[in-house]
Amino acid sequence: MHRRNLFVQRLEGRETTFQLHGLFREFLLARQRQMLPASQFRAVASAAARLLEEAGLPGHAFDLHVSVEDWSAAIGVVVGQGPGLAAEGRVRTLSAWIARLPRELTQTQPWLAYWAGIARFQTDQTGARTHLTRAYGQFLAAGDPTGQMLSCAAILTGFYFEYSTWGPADIWIERLAALLEAGIAMPTVELQLSVYSAMLYGLAIRQTNHPLLQDCIRRTTELLHEDADPNARMQAGLAITGPVACMLGEFDLFRRVRRLLSPLLADPRVSELNRAGWHMTCGAKLSFDCEHEEAFGELVQASRLATEAGLSPVAYVAHYFDGLHAACYFDVERARAEFSAARALADLHNPLQSSYV
């Protein structure tokens, strides 16, 4: 059939496989719907979807589950594939899947709310917080401490990347601290990295006298050496190179973490947000440490990457620090240009950014 070009495509890989042309496949599905009773078609489609999942084709499985309105199975695909899709940066796929589910389910299922928030996290931390807040409340009602921890951690980390007022973060610091102090089990390195570093974002900026601060610094620093998801390591490293180095003056620790994690930038899985944020925080700390040209190089890289990815808050901060650094070296023209670029990106509804305009 392939040789005669009869709606079959041949795919080369470790082993040769064949697949039906998309239009022919849709025709056969339509015929099957006509020929089989609805209950039998649903059973056949569900069985096929399970085979597709086992074969490592979750997207096709999800399509079949949705086609027969097997919402429980479709949600299972979303929740099961969420961590992998997020780690690979495929958040658009994650968001598109959730959008195809009935609203009454997406509004009542905590894991769907959580993954909807994670899908928006890179480009819209404020919007992500709406989903994550709902997820936290539903996890709390369901008695799911892991879900509560993940939601709190994402919300706290989002405040840092949003570069806005930190006042509303206090309640999330308290909630996550309570879960930590309760000794809730954290079975994966990624979960530990997320939780301890999220506490650092909050404590280093808002509560530097908190009894958990030093333990969170120690645990985060230890965990950075583990073989874990690169985005989890990078986001945790940003807590050290960002607020810990800036607010607590831990510049020796900053330099050690920078040497440790900078090689991760070569990993294509690292998100645009973490990549731009890394250059921005490193550039700012090098500026504080009077590393003139290297600071400029990092900040220029940060503003370029953030602009290309549509990450306005990160681009704003990079331009702002570049302007401050230029002013310190009496480079008036560069300072004027960078402050002008920052002003153009500032969110006037953001009290922290508008105060610097």
Side-chain angles (χ1 to χ4, degrees):
M1 292 178 71
H2 163 68
R3 287 194 297 269
R4 295 173 62 191
N5 200 28
L6 296 176
F7 305 108
V8 175
Q9 298 169 312
R10 176 175 175 150
L11 304 177
E12 300 295 344
R14 285 192 296 180
E15 60 182 59
T16 301
T17 58
F18 298 86
Q19 71 177 18
L20 298 177
H21 187 282
L23 291 176
F24 187 45
R25 177 176 174 275
E26 292 303 318
F27 166 76
L28 292 176
L29 282 171
R31 288 287 293 161
Q32 189 178 40
R33 280 185 181 275
Q34 295 172 358
M35 295 172 63
L36 296 179
S39 60
Q40 189 176 353
F41 176 79
R42 181 184 173 92
V44 169
S46 295
R50 287 193 295 273
L51 290 174
L52 286 166
E53 287 187 63
E54 293 170 4
L57 297 168
H60 294 299
F62 180 80
D63 289 340
L64 269 181
H65 288 315
V66 170
S67 72
V68 295
E69 299 184 352
D70 188 347
W71 303 124
S72 177
I75 291 171
V77 174
V78 174
V79 174
Q81 296 298 317
L85 291 173
E88 295 167 9
R90 297 170 59 197
V91 291
R92 289 188 179 88
T93 297
L94 188 56
S95 182
W97 284 0
I98 294 171
R100 293 176 62 187
L101 299 173
R103 180 175 172 78
E104 61 268 22
L105 294 179
T106 60
Q107 294 297 306
T108 57
Q109 297 286 331
W111 282 110
L112 291 181
Y114 174 76
W115 288 117
I118 295 302
R120 294 186 66 170
F121 184 88
Q122 175 158 312
T123 57
D124 180 12
Q125 291 83 38
T126 305
R129 189 157 60 245
T130 300
H131 294 289
L132 293 166
T133 300
R134 184 172 73 252
Y136 171 82
Q138 292 172 347
F139 283 132
L140 182 64
D144 184 339
T146 300
Q148 293 170 53
M149 292 181 108
L150 284 168
S151 301
C152 288
I155 288 169
L156 278 176
T157 304
F159 277 108
Y160 178 73
F161 286 105
E162 187 181 17
Y163 200 69
S164 185
T165 178
W166 272 82
D170 287 342
I171 184 62
W172 298 105
I173 295 172
E174 293 176 16
R175 288 168 175 168
L176 190 53
L179 289 163
L180 265 178
E181 290 167 341
I184 303 299
M186 291 187 282
T188 68
V189 174
E190 285 78 11
L191 177 56
Q192 294 175 58
L193 281 166
S194 177
V195 170
Y196 283 114
S197 64
M199 284 299 293
L200 280 187
Y201 283 115
L203 298 180
I205 292 175
R206 294 291 294 178
Q207 301 181 28
T208 55
N209 293 322
H210 198 287
L212 285 176
L213 176 60
Q214 292 303 318
D215 186 54
C216 287
I217 293 175
R218 178 184 60 80
R219 289 294 296 132
T220 300
T221 305
E222 291 172 349
L223 290 164
L224 290 177
H225 293 271
E226 297 289 337
D227 181 18
D229 171 68
N231 282 299
R233 293 177 69 199
M234 185 64 77
Q235 204 160 88
L238 281 165
I240 300 292
T241 61
V244 170
C246 181
M247 308 303 286
L248 306 180
E250 295 275 3
F251 285 96
D252 286 340
L253 181 57
F254 156 70
R255 283 185 280 269
R256 294 201 303 273
V257 170
R258 185 179 182 229
R259 286 194 298 271
L260 174 67
L261 295 188
S262 286
L264 286 180
L265 295 173
D267 192 322
R269 293 173 295 173
V270 173
S271 71
E272 291 97 336
L273 180 63
N274 286 335
R275 198 178 297 275
W278 181 257
H279 287 296
M280 184 269 289
T281 56
C282 287
K285 303 317 164 297
L286 290 167
S287 172
F288 296 160
D289 216 17
C290 300
E291 297 288 344
H292 182 50
E293 292 302 327
E294 198 172 2
F296 275 141
E298 291 279 23
L299 291 168
V300 168
Q301 184 83 315
S303 58
R304 181 184 65 81
L305 290 172
T307 300
E308 291 174 354
L311 308 173
S312 294
V314 178
Y316 163 82
V317 177
H319 282 299
Y320 185 78
F321 274 115
D322 197 318
L324 286 178
H325 190 55
C328 290
Y329 285 86
F330 304 102
D331 188 343
V332 177
E333 291 304 315
R334 180 167 187 150
R336 182 180 291 116
E338 291 299 318
F339 285 138
S340 177
R343 189 177 299 112
L345 290 166
D347 178 3
L348 298 181
H349 298 290
N350 182 322
L352 191 59
Q353 293 182 30
S354 62
S355 65
Y356 293 152
V357 173

